[in-house]
Amino acid sequence: MSRPLSDEERRRQISVKGLAGAENVAELKRNFNRHLHFTLVKDRNVATPRDYYFALAHTVRDHLVGRWLRTQQYYYEKDPKVGEKGVPEGNGGGGMEGDVLRCPLTLLIAFQLGLDMEELQEIEEDAGLGNGGLGRLAACFLDSMATLGLAAYGYGIRYEFGIFNQRIAGGWQVEEADDWLRYGNPWEKARPEYTIPVRFYGRVEHGPGGARWLDTQVVLAVPYDTPVPGYRNNTVNTLRLWSARAPNDFNLKDFNVGGYVQAVLDRNLAENISRVLYPNDNFFEGKELRLKQEYFVVAATLHDIIRRFKSAKFGSRDPVRTSFDTFPDKVAIQLNDTHPSLAIPELMRILVDEERLGWDEAWNITVRTCAYTNHTVLPEALERWPIHLLESLLPRHLQLIYEINQRFLDRVYASFPGDLDRLRRMSLVEEGAVKRINMAHLCIVGSHAVNGVAAIHSQILKDSVFKDFYQLEPQKFQNKTNGITPRRWLVMCNPGLAEVIAQRIGEDFVSDLDQLQRLRAFVDDESFIRDVAKVKQENKVKFAAYLEKVSGVRVNPASLFDVQVKRIHEYKRQLLNCLHIITLYNRIKKDPGKPFVPRTIMIGGKAAPGYHMAKMIIRLVTAIGDVVNQDPAVGDRLRVLFLENYRVSLAEKVIPAADLSEQISTAGTEASGTGNMKFMLNGALTIGTMDGANVEMAEEAGEENLFIFGMRVPDVEALDRKGYHAQEFYDRLPELRQAVDQLSSGFFSPRQPDLFRDIVNMLMNHDRFKVFADYEAYVKCQEKVSALYKNPREWTRTVIRNIAASGKFSSDRTIAQYAREIWGCEPSRQRIPAPD
């Protein structure tokens, strides 16, 4: 486990030491040995690497606990406004415990003890508690809220099984359970004393005292808390995840007739609520268990928020505040997409049924407290729950939603008299074969602010998706471009680059990413150009060694690393990338003597288990790889790899090594993207469409410093009006025709010639995302990429311009805007006093 440090590690240790603020190294060593001995009951003779990891985690947690308690005391003393981030997928992949493990303090302790930090990080479980970018974004936001000194809580579900682990077998995706808790989780603290009953089913009775929700089934929500440390400010916020438990009073009449064992077994049904995360990103699946999960987290969270609001004194359980007048001044609830949308009727239920407020007063409080972030424009991703499901599971909430809808439609009718079509479009209740509640409409109506997550996305919401709502209340609509935390996505995952930057402009960029603009002065500095190129090459060599170790595949570290890692989805257009690979392959075969810029093309990501086309796309990538990689005529000029089980810990390796970042969604479909920002910050150049945050990246860096190609939103709309006919492109472009014919004929699947029939059929006949329309521009743009890569100095200067322009994409900036413009509170860089 222990080994001598390399020169590079010693260099990093020095810079890391400055970040850590560890007071007493000898004391930390003693704590580590104490945990190994007393917590894990091991000595150095029998301890495994996992024991060292747990001892290290407990040592770091001890160091954080005093600050954690002090932070809570400080919030009670100051009584600031509290931000609540409502997210069923709150703790996205490689969650907050990963952020703690990679914090400088942990590295410092590991160095002092001579532990192999890389081995420890391999042991750590990625907490796959988020879906794609949305889950990881929540973790970045929690990091920034702590760093900006905001009194904030993150809430989510403590899924026993996170997003599945992906294995590739015979070229196909195979899903395996992600049993991330099997060894326990050293970072969390169970809080059974704050357990909350959550009710389902039952019936509603209306009487003189108001509505009563009766005969319900109860499931207990047990909270588990994880510390979320800020950067060098002694603030430690809380991520609270709820776990479902059956109550103890299971049915005694069964017990009396000898059904005791069955009664105990039935408890599992209640506990299924926190068993597994639905692995769908950008696709709504109307399952009852999913609705239960969404209400479970909302009900437990609101109960917790209200308990804290009422007690308002550290350690107090007694209600101090009894009036809700100040509730919106003290609490801000951000609905992260529509998953927590039931917070709106649930808060109304509490205020009207339990606290006995009048409707208008309760509604005013609810709207002023809640705000809604929309994360997608894809219609299949917007949640629309069938009424029969809500009626059975949450009968009181359905009544409240009907009342909210009626009052809202009265307002719409008053503003647009006689416009019945507008009433139908804006109603929360969608008529049809199956009546449904449109949850996005509920979120807009019940919130005081609605935002998209990139400038172009927010504009699309106003122009089309929520146009009617924008016309009614334009003042509600805002933009908050997403961001990433530079602590994790630069300092921790790419310490070599962070060090090279710090040598030129100091370390303040870690908490003020706009400082990177100062790097523009070094675009012509030969030593800086050399250093940046050297770090990239070191990262590539290291990643190539990792690939060979885990998959036995050898890649050429001098080749251009061309990377597309994200969820596998038609709108992200991995198929466009595949067509380019086939075109490159055909060109090499046609003219093998011609000099080609060598490329290693890596595609990675998970496909939702029920998404046939996404799984076929993975099969296509692996099939193309099988042909290309085994063709001696190609050599190492072209390599195609599918990166298995893409997750946060793999992202931290591949992103620092990438030369080219593929962000090629059809214009108008990607809300923002955050992977694009991570690549930019780590010195990869972007090839992309004018979509999502790419637009703002091009604004910041200058469009000439990105490889922008293809249709823009107006072009896509014009093509929709004219009619998109794939056949026209197929007939006109010989290289495209050759590639498609190879897919049709079984060139890449000789044993199953019709394996890719569904893909070809979709591309030719019903491709919503118009892959062929951008093919020609994409291939031409990729030629520009190769041309620039031949000139390493110019390539690296372009890289430096991109890094220097990436300051805007810090989640610190995003969260500061949420705080000032939506939550009504001011971020603070003040350090809270350290614990005594």
Side-chain angles (χ1 to χ4, degrees):
M1 203 45 210
S2 300
R3 57 167 175 71
L5 300 178
S6 68
D7 290 344
E8 187 196 0
E9 285 174 322
R10 278 205 186 80
R11 180 166 60 77
R12 288 184 196 177
Q13 181 182 350
I14 293 160
S15 71
V16 159
K17 219 171 192 173
L19 303 178
E23 291 79 5
N24 185 334
V25 171
E27 179 66 20
L28 292 170
K29 281 185 175 177
R30 270 197 302 277
N31 275 349
F32 176 87
N33 288 321
R34 181 171 58 80
H35 278 298
L36 194 61
H37 205 86
F38 292 108
T39 309
L40 299 163
V41 196
K42 293 282 180 82
D43 64 21
R44 294 276 180 139
N45 299 315
V46 293
T48 64
R50 177 163 277 105
D51 295 319
Y52 286 115
Y53 161 65
F54 270 80
L56 181 61
H58 284 298
T59 304
V60 176
R61 200 183 82 167
D62 286 356
H63 187 78
L64 293 175
V65 160
R67 287 163 174 74
W68 200 3
L69 289 169
R70 183 75 193 90
T71 301
Q72 303 311 308
Q73 290 166 357
Y74 183 78
Y75 290 160
Y76 275 99
E77 287 161 15
K78 297 288 177 195
D79 197 21
K81 187 165 188 176
V82 178
E84 320 283 355
K85 199 93 174 101
V87 275
E89 273 67 274
N91 178 14
M96 297 316 306
E97 59 284 350
D99 288 324
V100 180
L101 185 67
R102 288 164 180 76
C103 84
L105 169 68
T106 317
L107 291 173
L108 177 63
I109 298 169
F111 284 132
Q112 295 293 343
L113 295 163
L115 300 175
D116 183 341
M117 198 59 198
E118 290 205 355
E119 188 179 359
L120 293 183
Q121 288 178 353
E122 288 306 314
I123 287 166
E124 186 202 15
E125 298 287 338
D126 272 273
L129 301 186
N131 256 320
L134 179 59
R136 183 54 234 174
L137 178 74
C140 284
F141 281 1
L142 292 175
D143 171 277
S144 285
M145 289 191 282
T147 295
L148 293 174
L150 292 167
Y153 288 77
Y155 284 100
I157 293 179
R158 181 179 177 270
Y159 293 105
E160 214 171 295
F161 294 90
I163 184 105
F164 61 88
N165 285 320
Q166 177 194 59
R167 202 163 51 79
I168 302 298
W172 295 95
Q173 168 176 296
V174 178
E175 299 90 21
E176 294 179 341
D178 169 25
D179 188 7
W180 73 287
L181 287 169
R182 65 188 174 281
Y183 297 108
N185 174 5
W187 303 105
E188 68 183 10
K189 174 73 182 84
R191 301 279 194 197
E193 68 275 22
Y194 292 114
T195 295
I196 287 165
V198 176
R199 298 186 292 158
F200 296 98
Y201 304 109
R203 59 189 177 83
V204 183
E205 214 173 68
H206 290 272
R212 292 164 67 223
W213 186 14
L214 304 168
D215 303 331
T216 53
Q217 281 186 20
V218 173
V219 177
L220 302 178
V222 182
Y224 287 76
D225 289 355
T226 300
V228 183
Y231 176 70
R232 294 174 84 171
N233 64 352
N234 291 329
T235 295
V236 180
N237 281 345
T238 303
L239 170 67
R240 177 160 282 186
L241 299 178
W242 301 102
S243 183
R245 291 283 177 275
N248 255 340
D249 53 353
F250 52 78
N251 207 325
L252 277 179
K253 71 173 170 41
D254 285 351
F255 177 49
N256 293 337
V257 295
Y260 166 74
V261 170
Q262 191 55 47
V264 174
L265 293 178
D266 286 348
R267 295 167 61 90
N268 279 343
L269 298 174
E271 294 172 3
N272 280 342
I273 290 175
S274 57
R275 195 82 67 210
V276 64
L277 165 68
Y278 275 93
N280 281 330
D281 193 25
N282 289 308
F283 183 75
F284 167 61
E285 196 176 17
K287 297 279 174 71
E288 182 177 16
L289 178 59
R290 181 67 183 149
L291 184 58
K292 274 187 175 170
Q293 289 177 340
E294 292 185 2
Y295 178 65
F296 174 76
V297 71
V298 155
T301 297
L302 276 172
H303 191 292
D304 206 45
I305 290 170
I306 287 168
R307 174 189 60 76
R308 270 192 287 109
F309 169 76
K310 284 181 169 180
S311 63
K313 185 163 167 284
F314 188 67
S316 156
R317 294 285 187 88
D318 305 320
V320 176
R321 290 192 181 107
T322 49
S323 163
F324 277 83
D325 294 351
T326 60
F327 191 75
D329 304 321
K330 291 295 175 189
V331 175
I333 296 174
Q334 191 69 34
L335 306 174
N336 205 14
D337 226 357
T338 53
H339 309 136
S341 53
L342 288 165
I344 292 165
E346 173 66 4
L347 185 52
M348 285 299 287
R349 186 190 68 77
I350 294 168
L351 295 176
V352 172
D353 295 357
E354 294 181 4
E355 301 294 338
R356 298 287 179 231
L357 268 58
W359 182 278
D360 291 339
E361 188 186 354
W363 185 245
N364 177 41
I365 289 168
T366 299
V367 172
R368 286 173 55 212
T369 302
C370 295
Y372 163 51
T373 302
N374 172 277
H375 285 278
T376 180
V377 297
L378 298 179
E380 66 267 31
L382 296 172
E383 292 192 300
R384 297 174 163 92
W385 285 105
I387 276 177
H388 66 84
L389 208 52
L390 283 161
E391 198 165 32
S392 153
L393 196 68
L394 301 167
R396 178 60 181 140
H397 297 75
L398 182 61
Q399 292 178 354
L400 291 162
I401 290 168
Y402 280 150
E403 178 77 11
I404 290 167
N405 191 42
Q406 188 55 56
R407 290 167 181 253
F408 172 66
L409 292 181
D410 290 345
R411 263 183 65 209
V412 175
Y413 194 76
S415 302
F416 301 94
D419 191 343
L420 297 179
D421 200 45
R422 184 181 293 264
L423 286 181
R424 181 188 55 74
R425 292 195 308 265
M426 296 181 76
S427 174
L428 275 55
V429 182
E430 292 185 349
E431 303 293 341
V434 178
K435 279 175 76 168
R436 299 173 183 274
I437 302 295
N438 184 315
M439 303 313 271
H441 290 185
L442 174 63
C443 285
I444 297 170
V445 173
S447 296
H448 67 276
V450 176
N451 70 281
V453 288
I456 185 174
H457 169 230
S458 297
Q459 196 57 48
I460 289 168
L461 295 183
K462 295 193 286 195
D463 292 346
S464 59
V465 186
F466 301 137
K467 183 179 180 180
D468 293 322
F469 292 90
Y470 177 64
Q471 288 174 344
L472 181 71
E473 299 180 289
Q475 74 286 352
K476 264 192 190 183
F477 285 77
Q478 306 189 10
N479 173 56
K480 299 286 169 279
T481 299
N482 280 340
I484 56 172
T485 167
R487 270 77 60 187
R488 183 172 198 131
W489 292 110
L490 177 58
V491 178
M492 290 299 121
C493 76
N494 200 347
L497 181 59
E499 180 71 11
V500 163
I501 293 170
Q503 284 168 1
R504 298 325 192 274
I505 64 169
E507 288 182 352
D508 288 352
F509 72 90
V510 179
S511 56
D512 177 11
L513 207 60
D514 284 332
Q515 298 274 337
L516 291 180
Q517 290 174 13
R518 294 165 55 201
L519 292 176
R520 290 195 172 113
F522 297 91
V523 164
D524 298 311
D525 181 314
E526 295 304 327
S527 76
F528 187 57
I529 294 170
R530 211 167 39 245
D531 285 352
V532 169
K534 181 169 178 272
V535 166
K536 178 62 74 179
Q537 197 51 38
E538 284 171 2
N539 289 337
K540 288 172 73 174
V541 167
K542 194 172 164 189
F543 189 60
Y546 168 81
L547 283 175
E548 190 171 354
K549 185 176 120 189
V550 298
S551 60
V553 179
R554 300 188 78 153
V555 300
N556 172 10
S559 64
L560 189 159
F561 280 15
D562 173 345
V563 181
Q564 186 178 20
V565 282
K566 49 184 79 262
R567 291 303 283 272
I568 308 293
H569 198 292
E570 286 164 86
Y571 90 86
K572 293 180 185 282
R573 295 204 297 191
Q574 284 92 355
L575 286 172
L576 183 57
N577 196 344
C578 288
L579 290 173
H580 174 245
I581 298 170
I582 297 171
T583 303
L584 278 183
Y585 173 70
N586 289 335
R587 286 179 179 182
I588 293 170
K589 294 289 282 182
K590 186 178 167 189
D591 197 350
K594 195 176 164 193
F596 286 91
V597 171
R599 275 190 193 232
T600 301
I601 299 176
M602 306 178 216
I603 298 177
K606 294 175 181 177
Y611 188 175
H612 169 69
M613 190 54 67
K615 291 183 132 177
M616 287 309 305
I617 291 168
I618 291 175
R619 184 65 191 94
L620 177 62
V621 176
T622 59
I624 293 171
D626 289 342
V627 171
V628 171
N629 300 343
Q630 288 166 26
D631 191 328
V634 174
D636 66 358
R637 287 179 291 184
L638 184 59
R639 272 267 184 273
V640 181
L641 302 180
F642 187 83
L643 298 177
E644 186 178 70
N645 201 29
Y646 182 62
R647 59 204 183 280
V648 171
S649 55
L650 182 54
E652 291 171 328
K653 295 179 177 68
V654 68
I655 290 171
D659 292 305
L660 186 68
S661 158
E662 300 263 356
Q663 308 295 336
I664 56 178
S665 51
T666 313
T669 60
E670 182 72 85
S672 169
T674 49
N676 46 3
M677 303 168 185
K678 292 164 194 167
F679 282 103
M680 183 188 198
L681 183 59
N682 282 277
L685 299 185
T686 300
I687 183 165
T689 49
M690 276 300 208
D691 197 23
N694 292 359
V695 176
E696 288 156 85
M697 286 162 50
E699 274 170 19
E700 295 293 307
E703 207 173 306
E704 68 283 2
N705 291 305
L706 280 75
F707 298 102
I708 297 292
F709 72 92
M711 298 180 290
R712 311 208 169 192
V713 170
D715 305 321
V716 175
E717 289 168 351
L719 187 54
D720 274 330
R721 284 192 297 273
K722 170 175 163 266
Y724 166 65
H725 302 292
Q727 188 75 37
E728 290 172 13
F729 298 95
Y730 173 86
D731 292 339
R732 185 168 61 79
L733 302 167
E735 287 188 311
L736 173 62
R737 185 164 62 249
Q738 182 186 2
V740 174
D741 289 350
Q742 284 169 313
L743 293 181
S744 300
S745 66
F747 179 88
F748 293 102
S749 53
R751 289 185 182 167
Q752 286 175 273
D754 62 350
L755 180 60
F756 300 118
R757 185 187 57 212
D758 289 355
I759 288 181
V760 173
N761 178 35
M762 183 274 290
L763 287 172
M764 292 297 293
N765 301 312
H766 50 91
D767 176 12
R768 291 162 56 199
F769 302 108
K770 306 174 181 62
V771 169
F772 290 1
D774 275 338
Y775 166 83
E776 188 179 18
Y778 178 57
V779 172
K780 283 203 171 91
C781 195
Q782 287 282 17
E783 290 165 10
K784 287 189 199 160
V785 172
S786 294
L788 186 62
Y789 192 73
K790 283 184 191 165
N791 184 338
R793 183 175 180 276
E794 276 314 301
W795 180 278
T796 306
R797 289 178 73 231
T798 311
V799 162
I800 292 167
R801 289 189 200 101
N802 271 269
I803 296 170
S806 54
K808 174 178 180 176
F809 305 106
S810 166
S811 49
D812 296 348
R813 186 264 320 146
T814 312
I815 287 297
Q817 288 182 333
Y818 273 105
R820 292 186 177 116
E821 296 162 26
I822 295 181
W823 305 333
C825 46
E826 190 57 32
S828 160
R829 291 286 182 183
Q830 182 191 348
R831 286 185 69 160
I832 359 189
D836 296 335

